[in-house]
Amino acid sequence: MTATVTAPPKAPQQPHARAPRRKPVRSRLPDLIMAGPAVLVFVLMFIVPMILAFVLSLTDWNGYSLKFDFIGLENYRFAFRNPRTVDAAIFTAVVAVVGTTLCNIVGLAVAVLIAAPGRVNTVLRTIFFYPYIISSLIIGFLWSAMLQPNGVANSLLGHVGVGPLPFLIDATWAKGSVIATILWSSFGFNMILFIAGIKSVPTEYYEAATVDGASRWQQFRAITVPLIAPVLTVNLVLTLVGLLKVYDVVLALTDGGPAAGTQTIVYQILKDSFARSALGLGAAQSVVLLIVTAIIGLAVTFARRGAEQKVAA
Amino acid sequence: MSTVRSRGTLAGTVLKWVVLTAIALVMLIPMYILVISAFKPQAEIIQQPLLIDLSTFTLEYLKEALTSEKFNVVRAYGVTLSFVLMVNVLGIALAAPVAYVIARGRKKWHLGMLLLFVSGLFIPGQVTLIPVVFVLRVLGLINTVPGFILFETAATLPVTIFLFSAYLRTIPRDIDEAAALDGAGQIRAFWSCIFPIMRPVVATIVVLNSISVWNDFVSPQIILGPSSGIYTVTTGVYSAVGQYSTDYTVVFPTLLLAILPAVIFFVFMQRHIIGGLVAGATKG
């Protein structure tokens, strides 16, 4: 096996092309059998659909039959001119940017406070993290039940003489409620990654800094932040890319309302595709989302790589 | 760390614990309300959200949710659990051998294959969902369990193959040769000698895949669809709670039943879940 692989693959040197006798015959066929099924399934369910997304975005496919006509760039033109889609895109961008900022600030702040080992910190970590493993659809329904006009939150506020507040029935409040629910349910994930990053920082650095008289804030700025730069990158990319496709929590919390004020791009895509049977239009918006996601993901990764290298240098 | 902590002032320490306690309360109160409200009548849920009055405590609503005709939650547990098992078994059976080939190969096409799978990490599932519906319709698998399992399995492959091949690179090649000396074929040698060594990374993957399949809502909603009559926990909750979102005696018991398995899983597997998420995020 080793011999086969390390041998330089220069066939021209050996005119009788068969190279080392038994190895290729032995390893090729099993390789194919071992790799084939996974490649087949993946190509069928990922690569072919990727290409099809582009093709279908140029059609008026309704999803039910297999018949459709090509209508050029009409879907894209419609999507970009449709105020519904534009509003959804703006709200999605707000959720992604504000949500990512809040989740990472809170996640990092809490991580710094409870990164040290200890029983209390372990319990706190569990408390902050647990919503992450619950389906975001159910999180959305839970908060929807609590934030209704006659719900638990307003009842509690009433006891202290406040409210009732229009958490879900005023468009601006509803936008805030969506972001707050996302923060509640997912900063724990960012926190867990930050804690893993902080734990990988050698404690000697902090000890040395303490001896030198550095304050805790100075230690945070000069040691923690630079050394967890790669974790910060991962956190930013994952949260940002994840929030660009936010859907479940919105569906359950506000169902896109009130007055379509909290519709996100994926909400729009699925509504057009399956409630309005315009899958061609849905595909066009998906393609735009894919391109935007890829650009943002790559941009943040490269921008952060710059920051990480500056630290390393 | 103790030297570091002693530098903090008393006021700082107090502030830290006040903040942490406040956040902990914000995290726990919704769950507390969810649990106690499942045992209370509507009026009391609204008027006394934080209290539980033993005189009106009732199991009636929970029983109603358990036996609801709209949403058979016990059946949904079974359905969702069997999907989780199928996707795990199929995903690992497909991913492990290909990851081995990738990890041991040094040719360009091995790297190409890895890149092909890893590209899947950057494609949001929602983007491919519409064309997947098209492909499944062509194959005659739309609104069927095999179609759904096929899609969910494919969705697990990128992370699984990435983590498996990274792990396999850390296993010395001597083991391959020892297995080959036994006279076993490459495939049998892989499953009998290499795969058992992969236990830690297989555990990580099982945890990650189980959570994502259990919690997935969009794929079962679109690919299985209400017309299939097959409900997972999430699609069942959506159909049961969707219309009644202000009848709290339906909402809270249903939500409690829906989260119960996930919470139990979390309590027992917490270390693995957190470890798995960290591994999945930082290596991927």
Side-chain angles (χ1 to χ4, degrees):
Chain A
M1 188 88 177
T2 333
T4 336
V5 207
T6 44
K10 282 187 180 167
Q13 285 183 339
Q14 299 158 322
H16 305 298
R18 281 224 153 178
R21 251 179 314 149
R22 77 198 173 117
K23 306 287 171 133
V25 186
R26 248 199 82 193
S27 69
R28 263 294 160 80
L29 185 64
D31 273 10
L32 282 179
I33 296 173
M34 290 174 85
V39 172
L40 185 73
V41 168
F42 188 73
V43 167
L44 195 65
M45 289 286 105
F46 252 93
I47 305 301
V48 169
M50 272 287 289
I51 299 162
L52 264 177
F54 286 93
V55 176
L56 289 171
S57 73
L58 306 173
T59 72
D60 62 355
W61 186 45
N62 67 12
Y64 295 111
S65 62
L66 290 175
K67 283 186 229 145
F68 50 78
D69 290 316
F70 282 91
I71 54 169
L73 293 171
E74 191 48 45
N75 287 325
Y76 291 93
R77 216 169 288 147
F78 182 84
F80 279 110
R81 280 195 198 143
N82 186 356
R84 231 171 357 115
T85 310
V86 174
D87 288 349
I90 293 172
F91 179 58
T92 309
V94 170
V95 169
V97 172
V98 178
T100 302
T101 311
L102 290 177
C103 283
N104 281 288
I105 289 177
V106 177
L108 178 58
V110 172
V112 170
L113 292 180
I114 63 169
R119 189 165 291 175
V120 179
N121 284 353
T122 310
V123 172
L124 284 174
R125 254 172 256 163
T126 307
I127 293 172
F128 297 155
F129 172 75
Y130 83 89
Y132 188 82
I133 57 128
I134 298 171
S135 140
S136 31
L137 184 86
I138 291 171
I139 302 271
F141 278 129
L142 171 58
W143 279 97
S144 164
M146 291 195 299
L147 296 178
Q148 293 293 333
N150 72 343
V152 169
N154 271 322
S155 164
L156 285 175
L157 287 172
H159 284 288
V160 293
V162 183
L165 298 174
F167 292 112
L168 300 176
I169 52 174
D170 172 86
T172 311
W173 277 88
K175 287 176 194 198
S177 300
V178 168
I179 293 171
T181 305
I182 290 169
L183 175 64
W184 183 83
S185 64
S186 55
F187 83 88
F189 175 71
N190 302 88
M191 175 200 74
I192 291 291
L193 294 191
F194 280 129
I195 289 177
I198 291 170
K199 279 189 170 166
S200 69
V201 177
T203 46
E204 292 84 24
Y205 290 9
Y206 293 108
E207 284 157 17
T210 310
V211 170
D212 290 346
S215 73
R216 290 195 77 176
W217 175 248
Q218 285 172 321
Q219 292 182 17
F220 174 73
R221 287 296 308 273
I223 303 173
T224 313
V225 171
L227 287 176
I228 62 167
V231 178
L232 180 60
T233 306
V234 170
N235 258 328
L236 289 177
V237 173
L238 286 182
T239 322
L240 206 52
V241 169
L243 287 180
L244 284 174
K245 49 180 193 181
V246 64
Y247 172 70
D248 299 14
V249 69
V250 168
L251 179 76
L253 185 63
T254 63
D255 197 12
T262 56
Q263 294 194 354
T264 60
I265 275 293
V266 171
Y267 187 97
Q268 187 69 38
I269 290 173
L270 294 176
K271 191 124 206 170
D272 280 338
S273 303
F274 300 105
R276 302 195 177 100
S277 293
L279 275 83
L281 178 59
Q285 296 172 89
S286 303
V287 168
V288 175
L289 175 64
L290 172 66
I291 293 170
V292 170
T293 308
I295 291 174
I296 291 178
L298 288 176
V300 174
T301 310
F302 276 108
R304 292 293 310 160
R305 183 155 299 163
E308 284 167 32
Q309 274 163 359
K310 212 185 289 169
V311 167
Chain B
M1 273 321 259
S2 60
T3 46
V4 178
R5 193 172 291 162
S6 64
R7 287 186 51 86
T9 60
L10 182 65
T13 312
V14 170
L15 184 67
K16 170 185 159 179
W17 288 107
V18 168
V19 169
L20 287 175
T21 311
I23 303 178
L25 285 176
V26 172
M27 298 311 291
L28 286 176
I29 286 174
M31 190 49 58
Y32 167 74
I33 289 174
L34 167 58
V35 173
I36 63 164
S37 298
F39 304 99
K40 289 161 45 165
Q42 175 93 352
E44 205 164 314
I45 292 173
I46 296 168
Q47 281 151 21
Q48 294 296 340
L50 293 178
L51 302 177
I52 179 119
D53 184 348
L54 286 179
S55 64
T56 53
F57 176 93
T58 172
L59 290 170
E60 186 192 335
Y61 303 112
L62 197 66
K63 216 168 103 192
E64 256 169 49
L66 257 176
T67 54
S68 157
E69 278 177 22
K70 295 249 185 246
F71 170 41
N72 185 333
V73 67
V74 178
R75 202 185 124 105
Y77 286 160
V79 167
T80 316
L81 188 64
S82 66
F83 288 166
V84 166
L85 292 177
M86 281 190 269
V87 171
N88 267 316
V89 170
L90 203 58
I92 290 166
L94 288 174
V98 74
Y100 178 69
V101 171
I102 289 171
R104 289 299 185 252
R106 286 181 188 165
K107 300 225 173 67
K108 276 209 177 112
W109 67 274
H110 292 115
L111 184 66
M113 209 153 59
L114 181 63
L115 288 178
L116 174 82
F117 285 115
V118 170
S119 71
L121 290 174
F122 302 100
I123 305 169
Q126 288 86 343
V127 171
T128 52
L129 199 58
I130 293 165
V132 161
V133 169
F134 186 89
V135 172
L136 290 175
R137 204 168 275 288
V138 170
L139 297 173
L141 292 176
I142 193 74
N143 302 335
T144 68
V145 172
F148 173 70
I149 298 294
L150 197 62
F151 175 71
E152 286 282 31
T153 303
T156 66
L157 289 179
V159 181
T160 311
I161 290 171
F162 191 78
L163 287 185
F164 278 7
S165 57
Y167 187 85
L168 281 166
R169 289 222 177 85
T170 67
I171 295 179
R173 281 158 190 269
D174 307 0
I175 293 175
D176 301 12
E177 277 147 28
L181 285 181
D182 277 355
Q186 186 187 322
I187 298 172
R188 235 189 69 203
F190 169 74
W191 286 111
S192 58
C193 300
I194 312 289
F195 186 69
I197 309 173
M198 294 167 65
R199 249 176 78 169
V201 72
V202 169
T204 300
I205 281 300
V206 167
V207 165
L208 292 180
N209 290 349
S210 301
I211 294 175
S212 72
V213 175
W214 183 275
N215 286 340
D216 195 1
F217 167 69
V218 176
S219 329
Q221 180 76 358
I222 303 289
I223 294 178
L224 283 175
S227 68
S228 68
I230 301 165
Y231 288 97
T232 65
V233 172
T234 53
T235 61
V237 166
Y238 180 66
S239 73
V241 170
Q243 307 105 311
Y244 301 104
S245 58
T246 53
D247 184 350
Y248 302 126
T249 59
V250 174
V251 174
F252 286 114
T254 308
L255 293 183
L256 177 62
L257 290 173
I259 63 161
L260 210 55
V263 170
I264 293 172
F265 181 69
F266 179 63
V267 168
F268 285 103
M269 302 289 289
Q270 200 195 137
R271 285 175 144 253
H272 294 277
I273 292 170
I274 291 177
L277 284 169
V278 170
T282 50
K283 286 178 193 153

